[in-house]
Amino acid sequence: MTLNKIRNFGIIAHIDAGKTTVSERILFYTGFLRKPGEVHNGEATMDFMKQEQERGITIASAAISCGWRGHRLNLIDTPGHVDFMLEVERSLRVLDGVVAVFCAVGGVQPQSETVWNQANKFGTPHIAFVNKMDLEGADFDRCVDMMDDMLGANPVRYQLPYYKEGNFQGMADLITMKLLSFDNGRCEEKEIPEELLESAKKYRGELIEKLAEFNYELLEAYLEGKEEFITQELLRKTTAECVQKALITPVFCGAAYKNIGIQPLLDAIVDYLPDPVNAGQTVGTDSELKGKNLVRKPTASSPFSALAFKIIHDPFVGQQTFVRIYSGKITSGDTVWNSTKKKKERIGRILRIFAKDREEIEEASAGDIVALIGMKATTTGDTLCSAEHPIILENITVPPAVISVKAIVPNRQERDKLGNSLKKLLLEDPSFTFHFDEETEEAIISGMGELHLEIIMDRLKNDFGVNVQAGQPSISYRETITQEAVSNMKYVKQSGGKGHYAHCVLRIEPNVAGGFEFSETVKGGVVPKEYIPAVEKGIKDALNEGTLAKYPVVDVKAVLLDGSAHTVDSSEMAFRTCGSMAFKDALKHASPILLEPVMKIEINSPDDYLGDIIGDLVRRRGKVSNMRRFRKGSQKINGTVPLKEMFGYATSLRSLSSGRANFSMEFFRYEELPISMSEEIIKAAQEKTKV
């Protein structure tokens, strides 16, 4: 299939906006399904995990291929819950376009903004679909206004909803100026009724006026009043150009559950979202990371390059590595180069994925999203490429884990089973981490939120058969320093044979820019150049455990000032050990403090409960940054609040608002923990060490 016949797109939305239902209807109308599955009864094709079916939400992004009007649509349905934002992030990294689904009643909701901003981060073109137009309280115009005010989407109406006797029946198409009427899912073109015609003409005029800003031919026809030159083809062509440059957001409407509006949406996906060629060439860096930019054109004849964006362990075929191919082609049995890991990988099989089902194919080329079988070293974010033309593509950003839970197992045998299972899960989901506390022999699992950890524990029990229980959740604190300190450290050890000698003079200071930085000002070669990287490695080792409560250390600059070496006894290991010791020594004298994760929170609440909700938020050490009108009688509250204070908040909010308020939370940054709380945590850590 030629590249201009491929559309790689995803569906993004706030939770419960209906994106999985939209996906199911897309599969039904493209002929992939004989009957669409429903989310509420656990039959959705895209939500095939047991945990998704039980909860009625999307947890993992699911990929599927289907066809429409001779085009191949590679669709990825993404989660809407904030705990699974990595799934959205890595999907958007490899997609050429998105359909943003909005609830006609809720409008732009908290996660709508988050996923929209994620799409903007990658410059991903988008079209909008206002779903649930059949519900009481649906307001198409308010949704469009919210997209403009809150997202800066530059929305343009391409359809107007049509109601008959209070029931949503279809929509007026402003390109064809026809009414699209739906009867049992069948779409029929009719003349626009008289009562809707004036509005349709008004908004068609606005559509043409907006597009004319970006197309001279259209502008000329519009200004001269030559309506006959403003053809449907010209409007569609101009729309596609504007969408691909993210200049406008065409807005469509429908009711997916009632099978209304899906066929026109499919037409819009084919007509307006970019194909791999229009999405543009891919830019990466040379594999030696010297900063040189390399370009790969999206053609089968270009050198092969692909990004691994997701890994799934399938009980029948083993590890599936999902890749987006940006250039070149591959065949089953080929050997490719993992430029991130600097290892060869052999492709055993190539699969085209249909949610939980699969089809084996012999080859795949630029523009394809496929799963590879046989990858041994490849993980999420790795680049696969031709060994003769190495390249490293932009990686996938993994947000920090902010909440932890103990995974308690009854014996050592189960502990080994737990460790192996967690390693497999980690390959699938890099947004959680784990480590074993050697003193207590407990596994500590850290993730993005309470639901995230709940899902991990559920999968350990049901998917991997581990006899595990969850302990009390805890917070992933960090340590940092508030002032400069210097350490003069010597590491000398004699063991009968060759000894160990290293000497480092190290200065550490707060890093206002964030992160860890290392530099050196050694003069005269007193520390040989070949040992300086070992000092840096030693410092990085020491960053994993601070001196206050053994939490990781962040936001520090380290400068190697001086030192000395022995011609016989010095080695890389000696300087690595000395670097670690010097850092730990300096850390004690740099006024270290504890940091806690602080979350951005957005609460949607009716006006009647605002006082109680804000008062409760302040008691939780929260800060309100702004409030704005959400809809008539309701407001959005934006602010920040420490994660420590938010356990069980969903239950409290329901109680405060009689179940009418909802909230969304995501990680914001780490901030200094109050002294009284800091002392409690340090004391608890010291007592644990004594035990």
Side-chain angles (χ1 to χ4, degrees):
M1 181 171 285
T2 57
L3 285 172
N4 68 333
K5 296 287 187 180
I6 295 175
R7 298 292 183 273
N8 294 316
F9 74 100
I11 296 188
I12 60 173
H14 181 90
I15 192 169
D16 287 336
K19 59 186 165 27
T20 299
T21 302
V22 171
S23 299
E24 292 295 312
R25 295 315 189 268
I26 285 175
L27 298 182
F28 174 65
Y29 284 107
T30 56
F32 181 81
L33 296 177
R34 291 188 177 182
K35 177 186 175 185
E38 304 298 353
V39 175
H40 59 267
N41 59 20
E43 294 178 354
T45 306
M46 305 298 272
D47 287 349
F48 57 86
M49 289 172 59
K50 176 176 176 288
Q51 293 79 11
E52 294 175 315
Q53 294 167 352
E54 289 175 348
R55 292 166 175 81
I57 62 171
T58 302
I59 293 168
S61 53
I64 205 161
S65 293
C66 53
W68 184 255
R69 284 173 37 194
H71 292 69
R72 183 165 71 234
L73 309 183
N74 294 322
L75 160 65
I76 295 182
D77 178 33
T78 65
H81 196 284
V82 67
D83 283 14
F84 308 105
M85 281 300 96
L86 175 64
E87 289 292 318
V88 182
E89 181 92 6
R90 58 184 176 182
S91 297
L92 289 171
R93 171 66 183 83
V94 299
L95 293 172
D96 299 328
V98 294
V99 177
V101 177
F102 298 90
C103 172
V105 179
V108 176
Q109 297 168 281
Q111 280 306 108
S112 307
E113 292 186 74
T114 300
V115 296
W116 188 273
N117 290 334
Q118 284 179 293
N120 284 343
K121 171 184 171 183
F122 294 110
T124 311
H126 23 53
I127 60 178
F129 181 73
V130 179
N131 191 27
K132 302 187 178 184
M133 290 299 303
D134 58 316
L135 297 185
E136 184 179 349
D139 191 332
F140 181 71
D141 291 332
R142 186 175 67 87
C143 284
V144 174
D145 291 342
M146 292 176 77
M147 286 180 219
D148 198 22
D149 295 340
M150 299 169 63
L151 304 178
N154 200 5
V156 180
R157 295 167 177 81
Y158 274 63
Q159 295 175 344
L160 291 183
Y162 172 60
Y163 290 87
K164 186 175 182 180
E165 297 176 357
N167 296 317
F168 180 59
Q169 298 288 323
M171 64 286 297
D173 187 312
L174 301 183
I175 296 288
T176 63
M177 286 301 282
K178 295 288 184 181
L179 180 74
L180 303 179
S181 177
F182 293 82
D183 182 19
N184 291 324
R186 293 191 303 273
C187 180
E188 296 180 11
E189 276 195 2
K190 299 179 179 178
E191 295 303 316
I192 296 176
E194 194 67 35
E195 65 268 23
L196 189 61
L197 189 58
E198 188 176 338
S199 289
K201 288 179 178 178
K202 172 192 170 186
Y203 285 112
R204 175 182 166 84
E206 289 187 7
L207 184 156
I208 293 171
E209 186 177 344
K210 178 64 70 172
L211 293 180
E213 295 177 21
F214 308 107
N215 183 285
Y216 181 76
E217 182 184 353
L218 186 57
L219 177 63
E220 193 174 39
Y222 174 69
L223 292 176
E224 295 179 7
K226 296 179 178 178
E227 183 69 29
E228 67 275 14
F229 290 104
I230 303 176
T231 63
Q232 295 180 26
E233 291 71 24
L234 178 58
L235 292 176
R236 290 193 181 100
K237 173 177 170 288
T238 307
T239 300
E241 292 169 352
C242 290
V243 168
Q244 289 159 24
K245 295 175 183 176
L247 298 173
I248 66 167
T249 302
V251 185
F252 304 87
C253 62
Y257 184 64
K258 296 285 182 67
N259 300 311
I260 300 176
I262 300 302
Q263 299 97 319
L265 177 63
L266 282 164
D267 287 336
I269 290 166
V270 167
D271 290 337
Y272 305 138
L273 290 183
D275 59 47
V277 174
N278 287 330
Q281 58 193 16
T282 301
V283 178
T285 57
D286 63 282
S287 59
E288 300 301 320
L289 296 178
K290 295 174 183 174
K292 180 183 176 184
N293 284 343
L294 301 174
V295 172
R296 293 288 182 267
K297 294 181 179 180
T299 63
S301 58
S302 298
F304 172 68
S305 67
L307 185 74
F309 68 95
K310 184 178 176 67
I311 290 174
I312 290 179
H313 280 88
D314 188 288
F316 301 105
V317 300
Q319 179 176 307
Q320 299 178 18
T321 303
F322 284 73
V323 299
R324 160 69 192 267
I325 301 176
Y326 287 97
S327 61
K329 63 180 180 179
I330 48 172
T331 308
S332 295
D334 282 354
T335 298
V336 296
W337 178 247
N338 183 327
S339 56
T340 308
K341 298 283 196 316
K342 300 192 183 303
K343 291 184 178 180
K344 289 182 179 180
E345 292 274 36
R346 185 180 180 277
I347 300 170
R349 298 160 63 195
I350 305 173
L351 304 178
R352 198 175 301 288
I353 300 300
F354 305 99
K356 65 179 178 181
D357 299 316
R358 64 198 72 82
E359 172 194 357
E360 188 166 349
I361 56 178
E362 283 303 309
E363 70 172 29
S365 60
D368 282 332
I369 293 177
V370 294
L372 306 181
I373 307 298
M375 304 290 102
K376 299 188 183 304
T378 301
T379 55
T380 296
D382 285 359
T383 299
L384 299 176
C385 59
S386 161
E388 293 78 27
H389 301 89
I391 187 174
I392 290 184
L393 303 177
E394 180 188 351
N395 208 323
I396 294 168
T397 303
V398 180
V402 295
I403 183 171
S404 302
V405 68
K406 292 178 183 176
I408 303 167
V409 291
N411 52 51
R412 181 168 288 277
Q413 182 179 353
E414 285 293 312
R415 183 189 177 194
D416 294 340
K417 190 176 179 181
L418 173 66
N420 292 329
S421 302
L422 284 171
K423 287 175 184 175
K424 291 179 180 178
L425 278 175
L426 187 59
L427 282 173
E428 293 186 21
D429 180 7
S431 67
F432 89 92
T433 61
F434 73 93
H435 71 276
F436 283 95
D437 189 318
E438 296 303 327
E439 293 183 7
T440 63
E441 295 193 347
E442 292 174 332
I444 311 299
I445 302 173
S446 304
M448 301 300 298
E450 291 180 89
L451 180 60
H452 189 201
L453 294 178
E454 182 186 321
I455 296 297
I456 291 170
M457 297 300 290
D458 193 294
R459 292 198 64 192
L460 287 171
K461 291 177 188 176
N462 296 301
D463 297 359
F464 294 91
V466 181
N467 183 12
V468 63
Q469 298 295 324
Q472 287 296 313
S474 58
I475 305 295
S476 295
Y477 295 101
R478 296 289 187 268
E479 298 185 24
T480 193
I481 59 175
T482 57
Q483 66 181 45
E484 182 182 301
V486 176
S487 173
N488 190 335
M489 179 64 63
K490 282 188 178 180
Y491 172 61
V492 183
K493 189 175 181 182
Q494 293 298 135
S495 55
K498 180 184 175 183
H500 300 280
Y501 179 91
H503 174 209
C504 296
V505 180
L506 186 73
R507 184 181 77 231
I508 64 173
E509 58 190 73
N511 186 5
V512 179
F516 169 70
E517 289 183 27
F518 174 80
S519 59
E520 53 90 12
T521 58
V522 176
K523 295 179 181 178
V526 290
V527 177
K529 290 288 185 185
E530 62 267 25
Y531 294 147
I532 290 175
V535 176
E536 182 179 3
K537 287 179 182 177
I539 295 170
K540 287 181 176 178
D541 293 340
L543 288 171
N544 293 323
E545 193 174 278
T547 57
L548 292 177
K550 298 188 180 299
Y551 287 107
V553 181
V554 296
D555 302 339
V556 175
K557 283 184 182 178
V559 183
L560 181 62
L561 303 173
D562 201 358
S564 61
H566 191 278
T567 53
V568 176
D569 292 347
S570 289
S571 64
E572 283 191 16
M573 183 53 68
F575 272 94
R576 183 168 182 168
T577 303
C578 188
S580 178
M581 292 169 62
F583 182 82
K584 289 179 180 178
D585 179 60
L587 192 62
K588 295 175 184 176
H589 303 93
S591 298
I593 58 172
L594 280 180
L595 303 174
E596 64 175 338
V598 173
M599 314 297 285
K600 278 198 295 189
I601 187 169
E602 182 166 284
I603 305 168
N604 299 329
S605 170
D607 293 341
D608 296 346
Y609 309 103
L610 286 177
D612 290 341
I613 289 172
I614 292 173
D616 178 69
L617 197 63
V618 171
R619 283 191 291 273
R620 295 172 186 269
R621 296 190 287 130
K623 298 174 184 175
V624 175
S625 56
N626 67 70
M627 295 170 58
R628 63 178 184 266
R629 181 66 57 189
F630 172 42
R631 58 174 177 257
K632 187 176 180 180
S634 296
Q635 298 213 36
K636 284 182 184 288
I637 305 167
N638 291 90
T640 58
V641 60
L643 177 63
K644 177 181 172 61
E645 309 295 340
M646 295 304 287
F647 291 124
Y649 183 66
T651 303
S652 298
L653 186 63
R654 279 196 296 270
S655 176
L656 287 169
S657 65
S658 301
R660 294 178 61 194
N662 60 73
F663 79 105
S664 174
M665 221 172 38
E666 64 180 283
F667 175 74
F668 177 46
R669 66 185 180 196
Y670 277 92
E671 293 182 359
E672 184 175 353
L673 188 67
I675 294 175
S676 58
M677 293 183 175
S678 181
E679 289 173 348
E680 288 179 17
I681 292 166
I682 294 169
K683 183 179 178 182
Q686 291 171 343
E687 290 175 354
K688 181 180 175 183
T689 304
K690 291 176 185 177
V691 174

